[in-house]
Amino acid sequence: MRHDAPIPNALAAIAAGRDHLQTSEFARATNRASQTIRKNYCLTGECFGIRPVKFGNRLLWPVADIARLLNGGCQ
């Protein structure tokens, strides 16, 4: 059984009701550079234990997984 973590207010403001964030928004939410996120994805297929959805040439990162990360969940 999977319980979704509560979404922190700052992340909710960035997400604005969407289920996925672009790489630049994910970077802002985790206080990292966009290039760091892309590099981790390139090397391992994930970043901080979160796998993105590919949409065209963009990576979309699930807000629920980012919330879990920010609440101490994923690596």
Side-chain angles (χ1 to χ4, degrees):
M1 183 184 296
R2 181 176 152 180
H3 295 285
D4 287 334
I7 297 176
N9 292 336
L11 178 59
I14 293 170
R18 295 174 292 154
D19 292 331
H20 292 82
L21 299 181
Q22 293 181 20
T23 301
S24 61
E25 296 167 322
F26 177 35
R28 188 171 8 145
T30 57
N31 198 28
R32 300 289 189 272
S34 295
Q35 189 59 35
T36 302
I37 304 298
R38 285 188 210 92
K39 179 181 177 182
N40 286 337
Y41 170 73
C42 226
L43 293 174
T44 64
E46 62 184 31
C47 185
F48 303 121
I50 301 172
R51 290 193 178 271
V53 175
K54 289 187 83 173
F55 186 74
N57 64 347
R58 293 185 180 186
L59 299 174
L60 300 178
W61 304 86
V63 172
D65 291 345
I66 297 169
R68 200 170 9 272
L69 170 69
L70 294 176
N71 287 316
C74 328
Q75 164 127 329

